[in-house]
Amino acid sequence: MSRIAKLALIPPFLIGILLTFQALFVPAKLSETLGGIAGTGPVGNATIFADFAALFVTFTICVAGALFAGKRGWLFAPICLFGFTAIGRIYFGLMNGFAPGALQPIAIEIVACALMIFALRSKPA
């Protein structure tokens, strides 16, 4: 993987580290970061803690594998995770209207996906 491709993976990797840390150690902060998600009971709280942690840990491990071990094929999973999330957010916004602040996470997801697709398609160094 080229140096430019590796540089392109640094922002998604840092995003993954931040969100993984929040999901594992400060889920209340993650709830705030993601726009006010709240568990209404033990199962909802477990979802915020466990499901989001699993999503972000998977994302981060796969980006790290591509960045540090040159496993470009590992980028398919995080591209799908953030790509489908962006598509879902856009669909929801089109059907229900975009809330204030809704475009920021969509932009982050799209930019992260674009950077990962660039790295995936880059020529080996």
XYZ file of all heavy atoms in Angstrom, residues 18-123:
780
model
N -11.353 6.768 18.778
C -12.168 7.643 19.630
C -13.509 6.996 19.954
O -13.914 6.936 21.117
C -12.380 9.000 18.956
C -13.373 9.925 19.655
C -12.795 10.442 20.959
C -13.770 11.067 18.750
N -14.209 6.517 18.932
C -15.538 5.953 19.156
C -15.473 4.637 19.917
O -16.347 4.349 20.741
C -16.258 5.793 17.816
C -16.588 7.112 17.114
C -17.150 6.863 15.726
C -17.546 7.946 17.943
N -14.437 3.834 19.675
C -14.262 2.592 20.432
C -14.023 2.905 21.901
O -14.628 2.276 22.781
C -13.084 1.775 19.870
O -13.385 1.407 18.519
C -12.831 0.526 20.685
N -13.144 3.863 22.174
C -12.871 4.251 23.555
C -14.154 4.712 24.248
O -14.445 4.303 25.372
C -11.810 5.352 23.601
C -11.535 5.848 24.994
C -10.681 5.141 25.836
C -12.144 6.999 25.471
C -10.446 5.585 27.132
C -11.920 7.449 26.763
C -11.059 6.742 27.597
N -14.915 5.557 23.558
C -16.161 6.044 24.155
C -17.136 4.902 24.397
O -17.781 4.840 25.444
C -16.798 7.116 23.270
C -16.086 8.434 23.302
C -16.772 9.498 22.465
O -17.712 9.220 21.718
N -16.293 10.730 22.583
N -17.261 3.998 23.426
C -18.216 2.891 23.575
C -17.833 1.970 24.726
O -18.700 1.490 25.457
C -18.296 2.100 22.266
N -16.543 1.735 24.908
C -16.103 0.805 25.945
C -16.025 1.432 27.334
O -16.336 0.773 28.329
C -14.737 0.226 25.581
C -14.710 -0.728 24.392
C -13.276 -1.098 24.042
C -15.543 -1.968 24.675
N -15.611 2.677 27.403
C -15.288 3.260 28.703
C -16.199 4.397 29.146
O -16.313 4.656 30.338
C -13.828 3.723 28.719
C -12.869 2.599 28.433
C -12.145 2.582 27.259
C -12.725 1.545 29.327
C -11.271 1.537 26.981
C -11.856 0.497 29.056
C -11.128 0.487 27.884
N -16.802 5.109 28.217
C -17.720 6.192 28.578
C -18.930 6.184 27.638
O -19.100 7.083 26.814
C -17.019 7.576 28.572
C -16.216 7.814 29.814
C -16.169 7.776 27.339
N -19.788 5.153 27.775
C -20.929 5.059 26.859
C -21.868 6.261 26.931
O -22.510 6.594 25.938
C -21.635 3.770 27.264
C -20.972 3.258 28.468
C -19.708 4.025 28.683
N -21.911 6.942 28.067
C -22.756 8.143 28.157
C -22.233 9.218 27.197
O -23.019 9.922 26.554
C -22.789 8.667 29.579
N -20.926 9.348 27.077
C -20.331 10.311 26.142
C -20.617 9.884 24.707
O -20.892 10.720 23.848
C -18.818 10.416 26.400
C -18.090 11.336 25.457
C -18.467 12.778 25.652
C -17.617 13.653 24.745
N -18.219 14.951 24.513
N -20.571 8.569 24.441
C -20.889 8.078 23.097
C -22.330 8.407 22.743
O -22.607 8.826 21.617
C -20.653 6.573 22.993
C -20.994 5.970 21.628
C -20.034 6.484 20.562
C -20.972 4.459 21.690
N -23.228 8.250 23.694
C -24.632 8.593 23.451
C -24.766 10.044 23.028
O -25.506 10.368 22.104
C -25.466 8.355 24.712
O -25.460 7.006 25.050
N -24.017 10.913 23.684
C -24.028 12.342 23.351
C -23.398 12.578 21.975
O -23.928 13.323 21.157
C -23.256 13.110 24.425
C -23.208 14.595 24.233
C -22.357 15.261 25.310
O -22.513 14.919 26.489
O -21.522 16.103 24.937
N -22.271 11.907 21.714
C -21.573 12.061 20.440
C -22.460 11.650 19.268
O -22.448 12.277 18.223
C -20.275 11.215 20.436
O -19.434 11.665 21.492
C -19.536 11.324 19.116
N -23.224 10.595 19.465
C -24.075 10.070 18.390
C -25.421 10.774 18.309
O -26.289 10.344 17.557
C -24.271 8.562 18.564
C -23.006 7.723 18.434
C -23.320 6.257 18.681
C -22.363 7.908 17.073
N -25.619 11.808 19.065
C -26.816 12.615 18.910
C -27.894 12.382 19.945
O -29.064 12.629 19.677
N -27.546 11.884 21.114
C -28.527 11.760 22.174
C -29.220 10.413 22.244
O -30.359 10.329 22.699
N -28.570 9.360 21.812
C -29.146 8.021 21.921
C -29.220 7.664 23.399
O -28.276 7.880 24.144
C -28.273 6.994 21.182
C -28.290 7.299 19.697
C -28.722 5.574 21.452
C -27.311 6.482 18.901
N -30.362 7.124 23.814
C -30.517 6.762 25.224
C -31.174 5.397 25.338
O -32.131 5.108 24.626
C -31.362 7.805 25.946
N -30.631 4.591 26.222
C -31.275 3.325 26.543
C -32.392 3.578 27.532
O -32.218 4.309 28.501
N -33.557 2.986 27.301
C -34.685 3.212 28.207
C -34.803 2.106 29.241
O -35.753 2.076 30.000
C -36.004 3.311 27.412
O -36.175 2.105 26.663
C -35.975 4.516 26.490
N -33.855 1.233 29.272
C -33.850 0.145 30.243
C -32.535 -0.598 30.144
O -31.628 -0.199 29.402
N -32.410 -1.713 30.846
C -31.153 -2.451 30.838
C -30.748 -2.956 29.457
O -29.574 -2.922 29.095
C -31.410 -3.622 31.787
C -32.629 -3.284 32.552
C -33.386 -2.270 31.768
N -31.710 -3.406 28.670
C -31.383 -3.910 27.335
C -30.921 -2.759 26.439
O -29.961 -2.896 25.684
C -32.586 -4.654 26.708
C -32.303 -5.048 25.273
C -32.947 -5.875 27.543
N -31.582 -1.622 26.536
C -31.163 -0.461 25.755
C -29.776 0.021 26.147
O -28.960 0.354 25.291
N -29.509 0.042 27.434
C -28.174 0.431 27.892
C -27.123 -0.566 27.432
O -26.014 -0.183 27.062
C -28.154 0.569 29.421
C -28.945 1.774 29.883
O -29.083 2.754 29.167
N -29.497 1.690 31.076
N -27.450 -1.854 27.460
C -26.518 -2.874 26.981
C -26.268 -2.719 25.485
O -25.159 -2.950 25.000
C -27.055 -4.275 27.286
N -27.287 -2.302 24.754
C -27.122 -2.077 23.323
C -26.127 -0.953 23.066
O -25.235 -1.088 22.232
C -28.477 -1.745 22.661
O -29.322 -2.876 22.793
C -28.309 -1.376 21.200
N -26.282 0.136 23.793
C -25.340 1.246 23.628
C -23.930 0.787 23.978
O -22.976 1.080 23.264
C -25.771 2.456 24.485
C -27.057 3.048 23.931
C -24.671 3.520 24.517
C -27.699 4.081 24.819
N -23.799 0.044 25.058
C -22.469 -0.387 25.500
C -21.900 -1.471 24.594
O -20.795 -1.347 24.087
C -22.545 -0.885 26.950
C -21.217 -1.314 27.493
C -20.299 -0.372 27.915
C -20.875 -2.653 27.563
C -19.058 -0.754 28.404
C -19.644 -3.050 28.058
C -18.731 -2.097 28.473
N -22.644 -2.537 24.362
C -22.090 -3.708 23.675
C -22.172 -3.617 22.149
O -21.185 -3.880 21.457
C -22.797 -4.970 24.158
N -23.334 -3.276 21.622
C -23.490 -3.288 20.167
C -22.639 -2.212 19.496
O -21.976 -2.475 18.496
C -24.955 -3.114 19.770
C -25.822 -4.296 20.183
O -25.301 -5.230 20.821
O -27.018 -4.286 19.858
N -22.670 -1.008 20.064
C -21.838 0.037 19.480
C -20.361 -0.265 19.672
O -19.543 0.003 18.792
C -22.181 1.420 20.053
C -23.435 2.001 19.478
C -24.490 2.360 20.302
C -23.577 2.187 18.116
C -25.655 2.891 19.765
C -24.736 2.728 17.575
C -25.787 3.073 18.404
N -20.008 -0.834 20.811
C -18.613 -1.218 21.027
C -18.174 -2.248 19.995
O -17.094 -2.132 19.411
C -18.422 -1.759 22.441
N -19.012 -3.237 19.733
C -18.677 -4.262 18.735
C -18.509 -3.643 17.343
O -17.556 -3.963 16.620
C -19.757 -5.340 18.707
N -19.407 -2.753 16.994
C -19.318 -2.089 15.691
C -18.020 -1.301 15.566
O -17.283 -1.452 14.585
C -20.524 -1.157 15.516
C -20.587 -0.392 14.215
C -22.009 -0.389 13.685
C -20.110 1.037 14.390
N -17.711 -0.493 16.568
C -16.527 0.362 16.470
C -15.228 -0.410 16.658
O -14.214 -0.064 16.052
C -16.629 1.546 17.434
C -17.738 2.500 17.068
C -18.699 2.865 17.997
C -17.841 3.011 15.784
C -19.724 3.729 17.656
C -18.868 3.874 15.433
C -19.808 4.235 16.371
N -15.234 -1.470 17.473
C -14.037 -2.303 17.602
C -13.746 -2.997 16.272
O -12.601 -3.032 15.817
C -14.190 -3.329 18.754
C -13.121 -4.400 18.685
C -14.133 -2.632 20.098
N -14.778 -3.541 15.641
C -14.607 -4.183 14.329
C -14.068 -3.183 13.314
O -13.112 -3.469 12.588
C -15.948 -4.771 13.839
O -16.401 -5.729 14.790
C -15.799 -5.407 12.470
N -14.683 -2.006 13.267
C -14.235 -0.952 12.360
C -12.758 -0.645 12.582
O -11.962 -0.630 11.644
C -15.091 0.304 12.599
C -14.696 1.490 11.777
C -15.264 1.710 10.543
C -13.751 2.400 12.237
C -14.903 2.811 9.779
C -13.378 3.497 11.486
C -13.959 3.703 10.244
N -12.380 -0.430 13.840
C -11.013 -0.020 14.169
C -10.001 -1.122 13.886
O -8.925 -0.854 13.337
C -10.932 0.434 15.638
O -11.924 1.452 15.849
C -9.570 0.988 15.976
N -10.323 -2.354 14.239
C -9.409 -3.468 13.977
C -9.179 -3.629 12.476
O -8.045 -3.836 12.031
C -9.939 -4.774 14.600
C -9.802 -4.722 16.116
C -9.211 -5.994 14.030
C -10.493 -5.862 16.843
N -10.227 -3.521 11.700
C -10.087 -3.681 10.246
C -9.268 -2.547 9.626
O -8.411 -2.796 8.773
C -11.459 -3.783 9.588
S -12.311 -5.319 9.974
N -9.514 -1.325 10.044
C -8.724 -0.205 9.522
C -7.267 -0.354 9.966
O -6.340 -0.125 9.185
C -9.316 1.158 9.960
C -8.403 2.304 9.551
C -10.694 1.358 9.356
N -7.053 -0.774 11.215
C -5.687 -0.985 11.714
C -4.986 -2.086 10.924
O -3.796 -1.962 10.610
C -5.710 -1.332 13.200
N -5.705 -3.148 10.602
C -5.119 -4.219 9.801
C -4.663 -3.725 8.442
O -3.596 -4.105 7.948
N -5.461 -2.871 7.836
C -5.081 -2.310 6.541
C -3.912 -1.334 6.697
O -2.972 -1.357 5.903
C -6.271 -1.605 5.905
N -3.972 -0.511 7.722
C -2.958 0.523 7.917
C -1.612 -0.055 8.312
O -0.582 0.302 7.749
C -3.440 1.524 8.973
C -2.519 2.680 9.335
C -2.218 3.541 8.119
C -3.164 3.531 10.426
N -1.595 -0.956 9.272
C -0.333 -1.432 9.835
C 0.163 -2.755 9.248
O 1.360 -3.009 9.269
C -0.448 -1.547 11.360
C -0.764 -0.238 12.018
C -1.952 -0.061 12.708
C 0.112 0.840 11.937
C -2.259 1.148 13.310
C -0.183 2.055 12.535
C -1.370 2.205 13.228
N -0.756 -3.584 8.752
C -0.350 -4.881 8.216
C -0.521 -4.969 6.702
O -0.233 -6.006 6.113
C -1.139 -6.000 8.900
N -1.011 -3.901 6.087
C -1.176 -3.890 4.643
C -2.294 -4.790 4.144
O -2.320 -5.158 2.971
N -3.242 -5.140 4.982
C -4.363 -6.021 4.618
C -5.484 -5.177 4.022
O -6.493 -4.910 4.666
C -4.863 -6.780 5.847
C -3.808 -7.523 6.609
C -3.627 -8.871 6.030
C -2.668 -9.679 6.902
N -2.265 -10.874 6.275
N -5.311 -4.776 2.777
C -6.292 -3.883 2.156
C -7.684 -4.488 2.094
O -8.672 -3.780 2.188
C -5.845 -3.482 0.748
C -4.660 -2.563 0.765
C -4.303 -2.041 -0.584
N -4.203 -3.120 -1.554
C -4.192 -2.929 -2.858
N -4.275 -1.721 -3.348
N -4.087 -3.938 -3.688
N -7.783 -5.798 1.943
C -9.082 -6.459 1.888
C -9.892 -6.294 3.163
O -11.119 -6.423 3.145
N -9.210 -6.007 4.262
C -9.910 -5.784 5.522
C -10.728 -4.502 5.512
O -11.536 -4.270 6.397
C -8.911 -5.743 6.670
C -8.357 -7.066 7.063
C -8.264 -8.188 6.284
C -7.824 -7.420 8.327
N -7.686 -9.204 6.990
C -7.404 -8.758 8.256
C -7.634 -6.726 9.511
C -6.827 -9.431 9.316
C -7.051 -7.392 10.573
C -6.657 -8.728 10.476
N -10.532 -3.658 4.508
C -11.274 -2.395 4.448
C -12.723 -2.581 4.001
O -13.540 -1.676 4.177
C -10.565 -1.405 3.518
C -9.239 -0.864 4.044
C -8.544 -0.036 2.978
C -9.449 -0.046 5.304
N -13.052 -3.745 3.442
C -14.440 -3.952 3.012
C -15.419 -3.833 4.184
O -16.478 -3.232 4.034
C -14.603 -5.318 2.325
C -14.031 -5.358 0.943
C -12.898 -6.106 0.678
C -14.616 -4.646 -0.089
C -12.360 -6.143 -0.598
C -14.085 -4.671 -1.366
C -12.955 -5.423 -1.621
N -15.071 -4.399 5.329
C -15.986 -4.349 6.488
C -16.217 -2.920 6.971
O -17.371 -2.504 7.111
C -15.470 -5.238 7.614
N -15.173 -2.123 7.242
C -15.458 -0.763 7.716
C -16.119 0.115 6.655
O -16.930 0.982 7.000
C -14.089 -0.214 8.126
C -13.084 -1.096 7.518
C -13.741 -2.427 7.308
N -15.814 -0.120 5.393
C -16.500 0.639 4.337
C -17.987 0.314 4.372
O -18.831 1.213 4.290
C -15.890 0.337 2.949
C -14.494 0.956 2.842
C -16.801 0.858 1.840
C -13.694 0.478 1.637
N -18.320 -0.962 4.523
C -19.729 -1.348 4.606
C -20.384 -0.787 5.858
O -21.511 -0.267 5.791
C -19.870 -2.871 4.582
S -19.548 -3.590 2.968
N -19.707 -0.874 6.999
C -20.294 -0.378 8.250
C -20.630 1.105 8.163
O -21.760 1.518 8.441
C -19.349 -0.637 9.429
C -19.215 -2.085 9.879
C -18.076 -2.222 10.885
C -20.507 -2.584 10.479
N -19.658 1.919 7.774
C -19.907 3.361 7.707
C -20.731 3.730 6.473
O -21.538 4.653 6.521
C -18.587 4.143 7.719
C -18.150 4.565 9.090
C -18.430 3.814 10.210
C -17.436 5.736 9.267
C -18.019 4.209 11.479
C -17.022 6.148 10.528
C -17.315 5.381 11.633
N -20.534 3.019 5.381
C -21.286 3.316 4.160
C -22.775 3.059 4.331
O -23.611 3.906 3.988
N -23.128 1.887 4.875
C -24.544 1.594 5.098
C -25.141 2.491 6.169
O -26.322 2.837 6.104
C -24.746 0.119 5.452
C -24.546 -0.807 4.279
C -23.830 -1.984 4.436
C -25.055 -0.524 3.027
C -23.636 -2.851 3.372
C -24.871 -1.370 1.953
C -24.157 -2.544 2.123
N -24.338 2.879 7.140
C -24.822 3.814 8.152
C -25.147 5.161 7.508
O -26.201 5.755 7.779
C -23.791 3.998 9.280
O -23.536 2.728 9.879
C -24.288 4.963 10.334
N -24.271 5.637 6.638
C -24.529 6.907 5.943
C -25.775 6.808 5.070
O -26.612 7.717 5.058
C -23.317 7.309 5.104
N -25.912 5.694 4.357
C -27.096 5.500 3.510
C -28.362 5.496 4.369
O -29.364 6.128 4.010
C -26.968 4.202 2.688
C -25.881 4.366 1.630
C -28.300 3.824 2.045
C -25.460 3.068 0.954
N -28.309 4.804 5.500
C -29.463 4.781 6.398
C -29.804 6.150 6.940
O -30.974 6.531 7.025
N -28.789 6.916 7.296
C -29.030 8.274 7.804
C -29.644 9.165 6.723
O -30.545 9.956 6.994
C -27.732 8.911 8.295
C -27.201 8.357 9.589
C -25.910 9.113 9.944
N -25.163 8.495 11.000
C -25.326 8.756 12.293
N -26.243 9.623 12.680
N -24.579 8.157 13.187
N -29.131 9.051 5.509
C -29.666 9.856 4.401
C -31.115 9.466 4.121
O -31.989 10.326 3.958
C -28.780 9.714 3.152
C -27.418 10.371 3.400
C -29.464 10.308 1.930
C -26.365 10.043 2.364
N -31.377 8.162 4.082
C -32.741 7.685 3.848
C -33.682 8.212 4.932
O -34.762 8.726 4.630
C -32.756 6.151 3.804
C -34.130 5.565 3.666
C -34.805 5.605 2.451
C -34.776 4.980 4.753
C -36.076 5.082 2.326
C -36.042 4.454 4.647
C -36.690 4.505 3.425
O -37.952 3.987 3.308
N -33.267 8.082 6.193
C -34.088 8.573 7.297
C -34.327 10.074 7.149
O -35.448 10.551 7.344
C -33.431 8.270 8.646
C -34.253 8.734 9.811
C -35.267 7.946 10.315
C -34.021 9.977 10.390
C -36.046 8.380 11.388
C -34.788 10.419 11.459
C -35.812 9.615 11.956
N -33.281 10.826 6.814
C -33.428 12.270 6.652
C -34.367 12.648 5.528
O -35.161 13.574 5.656
N -34.287 11.907 4.428
C -35.188 12.188 3.303
C -36.641 11.875 3.652
O -37.553 12.566 3.210
C -34.760 11.390 2.067
C -33.439 11.816 1.425
C -33.051 10.841 0.320
C -33.527 13.237 0.883
N -36.857 10.839 4.429
C -38.216 10.436 4.786
C -38.799 11.276 5.926
O -40.003 11.494 5.972
C -38.249 8.955 5.213
C -37.924 7.989 4.108
S -39.145 8.082 2.789
C -38.128 8.541 1.418
N -37.943 11.739 6.837
C -38.424 12.401 8.054
C -37.917 13.820 8.228
O -38.240 14.466 9.216
C -38.018 11.578 9.286
C -38.587 10.186 9.228
O -39.790 10.012 9.312
N -37.734 9.197 9.059
N -37.091 14.279 7.330
C -36.484 15.591 7.471
C -35.171 15.491 8.238
O -35.027 14.643 9.126
N -34.246 16.315 7.849
C -32.935 16.304 8.488
C -32.968 17.216 9.709
O -33.276 18.394 9.600
C -31.846 16.769 7.512
C -31.566 15.770 6.427
C -32.202 15.860 5.198
C -30.672 14.735 6.633
C -31.951 14.943 4.196
C -30.406 13.806 5.645
C -31.056 13.908 4.419
N -32.651 16.646 10.845
C -32.602 17.417 12.089
C -31.349 18.293 12.083
O -30.373 17.979 11.377
C -32.568 16.467 13.284
N -31.350 19.366 12.877
C -30.126 20.162 13.000
C -28.983 19.276 13.497
O -29.149 18.483 14.417
C -30.487 21.225 14.038
C -31.979 21.274 14.041
C -32.450 19.906 13.659
N -27.855 19.381 12.861
C -26.697 18.579 13.256
C -26.640 17.213 12.600
O -25.687 16.462 12.821
N -27.627 16.855 11.799
C -27.658 15.523 11.179
C -26.633 15.385 10.061
O -26.202 14.273 9.751
C -29.051 15.223 10.642
N -26.253 16.476 9.446
C -25.345 16.388 8.306
C -23.893 16.147 8.713
O -23.120 15.587 7.934
C -25.460 17.639 7.437
C -26.842 17.833 6.793
C -26.857 19.099 5.950
C -27.240 16.640 5.964
N -23.516 16.519 9.926
C -22.132 16.316 10.358
C -21.747 14.836 10.399
O -20.733 14.449 9.816
C -21.875 16.981 11.701
C -20.440 16.810 12.159
C -20.182 17.458 13.504
O -21.074 18.002 14.134
N -18.948 17.383 13.952
N -22.518 13.957 11.056
C -22.113 12.547 11.045
C -22.174 11.929 9.651
O -21.344 11.072 9.317
C -23.087 11.864 12.005
C -24.149 12.839 12.310
C -23.649 14.194 11.934
N -23.124 12.367 8.843
C -23.195 11.853 7.467
C -21.929 12.236 6.714
O -21.333 11.405 6.019
C -24.452 12.391 6.746
C -25.722 11.835 7.398
C -24.414 12.034 5.259
C -27.007 12.488 6.914
N -21.508 13.474 6.840
C -20.288 13.928 6.161
C -19.069 13.157 6.651
O -18.217 12.749 5.847
C -20.095 15.429 6.373
N -18.978 12.932 7.954
C -17.847 12.178 8.505
C -17.831 10.765 7.933
O -16.776 10.255 7.533
C -17.900 12.170 10.047
C -17.597 13.575 10.578
C -16.932 11.143 10.627
C -17.882 13.758 12.050
N -18.989 10.124 7.897
C -19.066 8.759 7.367
C -18.712 8.705 5.892
O -17.972 7.808 5.458
C -20.463 8.184 7.618
C -20.731 7.933 9.080
C -22.186 7.944 9.478
O -23.062 8.229 8.638
O -22.450 7.678 10.667
N -19.186 9.664 5.124
C -18.900 9.669 3.685
C -17.418 9.940 3.433
O -16.792 9.274 2.602
C -19.803 10.693 2.957
C -21.250 10.179 2.941
C -19.308 10.950 1.536
C -22.259 11.179 2.435
N -16.843 10.893 4.145
C -15.415 11.196 3.970
C -14.565 9.998 4.400
O -13.607 9.621 3.718
C -15.020 12.479 4.734
C -13.516 12.651 4.790
C -15.673 13.695 4.092
N -14.915 9.379 5.529
C -14.170 8.198 5.983
C -14.251 7.086 4.949
O -13.240 6.434 4.641
C -14.691 7.724 7.336
N -15.424 6.863 4.393
C -15.583 5.839 3.354
C -14.762 6.184 2.112
O -14.115 5.304 1.536
C -17.051 5.670 2.974
S -17.994 4.723 4.163
N -14.777 7.441 1.723
C -14.002 7.849 0.543
C -12.512 7.618 0.773
O -11.809 7.124 -0.120
C -14.272 9.320 0.224
N -12.023 7.946 1.957
C -10.605 7.727 2.269
C -10.269 6.236 2.257
O -9.222 5.824 1.734
C -10.257 8.343 3.620
C -10.272 9.866 3.682
C -10.176 10.348 5.126
C -9.166 10.455 2.829
N -11.161 5.414 2.809
C -10.906 3.974 2.835
C -10.997 3.361 1.437
O -10.207 2.479 1.092
C -11.865 3.285 3.803
C -11.580 3.622 5.254
S -12.637 2.768 6.442
C -14.232 3.524 6.141
N -11.921 3.835 0.625
C -12.020 3.349 -0.758
C -10.770 3.742 -1.534
O -10.232 2.945 -2.312
C -13.308 3.871 -1.429
C -14.528 3.182 -0.804
C -13.262 3.645 -2.936
C -15.856 3.805 -1.178
N -10.288 4.958 -1.318
C -9.044 5.390 -1.956
C -7.903 4.447 -1.574
O -7.134 4.007 -2.434
C -8.712 6.827 -1.556
C -7.344 7.273 -1.993
C -7.123 7.635 -3.310
C -6.284 7.300 -1.098
C -5.854 8.034 -3.724
C -5.019 7.683 -1.499
C -4.801 8.058 -2.821
N -7.782 4.135 -0.288
C -6.715 3.245 0.167
C -6.898 1.831 -0.392
O -5.922 1.181 -0.772
C -6.676 3.206 1.697
N -8.114 1.369 -0.451
C -8.408 0.034 -0.979
C -7.985 -0.075 -2.446
O -7.433 -1.082 -2.871
C -9.893 -0.280 -0.826
C -10.374 -1.610 -1.370
C -9.793 -2.758 -0.569
C -11.901 -1.659 -1.360
N -8.239 0.971 -3.200
C -7.965 0.942 -4.636
C -6.546 1.369 -5.004
O -6.168 1.298 -6.168
C -8.983 1.832 -5.356
C -10.403 1.324 -5.223
C -11.366 2.206 -5.951
N -10.917 2.467 -7.298
C -11.431 1.919 -8.405
N -12.423 1.081 -8.293
N -10.965 2.215 -9.591
N -5.777 1.804 -4.036
C -4.428 2.281 -4.326
C -3.531 1.140 -4.774
O -3.732 -0.014 -4.407
C -3.826 2.969 -3.109
O -3.526 2.020 -2.113
N -2.557 1.476 -5.547
C -1.584 0.504 -6.025
C -0.602 0.172 -4.913
O -0.256 1.038 -4.114
C -0.814 1.071 -7.219
C -1.700 1.496 -8.371
C -1.758 0.421 -9.388
C -2.433 0.941 -10.636
N -3.691 0.376 -10.913
